[in-house]
Amino acid sequence: MNDLLLLVEPMIPALRRYARALLRDRESADELVQDCLERVISRWSQRRDVNDTRQWVFAILHNLAMHRLRQQSRRGLHVAMEDIDETELGTPAPQEHRVRHHELMRALDLLPEDQRAVLLLVAVEDLSYAQAAKTLEIPVGTVMSRLARARQRLHRMLDGVDPPPSAASPEAGQSARPHLRRLK
């Protein structure tokens, strides 16, 4: 039990950061971290690689988050009007750093889920390519290519070169074929 505390407790801030970046909601992220820690404690003896506890814990958190996101997309977001704080409906003054932060978060949200997960694990949580590959259960080469595409796309979106995907773009599920006119 001492090993568990010594190894897992220092990871909690990073777990919260990663959960917040994935779920975009502080309260849900804190609940996710709590669920993750409960699972870590209950399955501590089931660890396969005792040398890489960080990767194992992040894999648990990631899998729980993906399960919640899939569940939420099926159910949709339901909020009662009386539960909404009026201060959340107002907009704060547009200071430059706040605007840039919102642009970054919006661009991050627009990245495909697979690219966003790799970018967050490697760039924010400082996992190695191999650790991220184990966490996401994908090859290391896939991690590297997704990371490169995510970084490139993020830079292009923040520079205004790459517009966000629209309903008619190939990324939104439409094919990129030209429109043809029928002549009689």
Side-chain angles (χ1 to χ4, degrees):
M1 191 61 133
N2 280 341
D3 286 347
L4 179 125
L5 287 174
L6 290 172
L7 293 172
V8 176
E9 188 176 10
M11 284 186 241
I12 293 174
L15 291 169
R16 291 179 77 199
R17 230 183 359 256
Y18 184 54
R20 286 180 183 168
L22 286 174
L23 299 181
R24 311 293 302 132
D25 177 47
R26 181 177 292 219
E27 190 173 307
S28 297
D30 288 342
E31 289 174 12
L32 177 67
V33 170
Q34 181 69 31
D35 292 346
C36 173
L37 293 173
E38 287 175 12
R39 190 163 290 189
V40 166
I41 292 168
S42 68
R43 299 190 176 149
W44 186 250
S45 61
Q46 297 175 2
R47 286 177 305 149
R48 288 185 221 138
D49 185 5
V50 295
N51 296 325
D52 202 355
T53 302
R54 182 177 171 86
Q55 180 271 320
W56 180 69
V57 173
F58 271 95
I60 291 173
L61 182 80
H62 179 79
N63 291 336
L64 287 171
M66 292 304 107
H67 175 73
R68 284 195 184 179
L69 289 172
R70 283 190 295 271
Q71 216 174 30
Q72 186 179 25
S73 70
R74 285 192 304 265
R75 293 180 182 166
L77 184 61
H78 299 282
V79 179
M81 283 301 289
E82 56 272 4
D83 292 341
I84 297 175
D85 185 16
E86 286 184 35
T87 59
E88 291 180 23
L89 300 175
T91 27
Q95 289 112 1
E96 187 175 326
H97 67 279
R98 189 172 195 91
V99 171
R100 189 68 175 165
H101 177 263
H102 285 293
E103 288 173 355
L104 176 63
M105 290 295 116
R106 183 169 180 268
L108 194 59
D109 285 343
L110 291 174
L111 285 176
E113 188 64 43
D114 57 345
Q115 291 178 11
R116 182 171 57 233
V118 169
L119 183 69
L120 290 171
L121 286 173
V122 174
V124 177
E125 298 307 331
D126 203 28
L127 265 64
S128 69
Y129 292 169
Q131 290 171 325
K134 279 184 181 179
T135 301
L136 300 174
E137 298 177 346
I138 58 175
V140 174
T142 304
V143 168
M144 294 167 62
S145 64
R146 285 182 185 175
L147 182 62
R149 286 194 310 269
R151 285 177 172 160
Q152 181 183 29
R153 180 92 187 268
L154 197 59
H155 283 293
R156 291 175 59 84
M157 281 192 284
L158 291 174
D159 292 341
V161 175
D162 194 8
S166 66
S169 73
E171 293 168 6
Q174 302 291 326
S175 64
R177 58 185 174 184
H179 296 284
L180 299 176
R181 229 175 48 194
R182 173 178 260 164
L183 298 173
K184 291 187 179 183

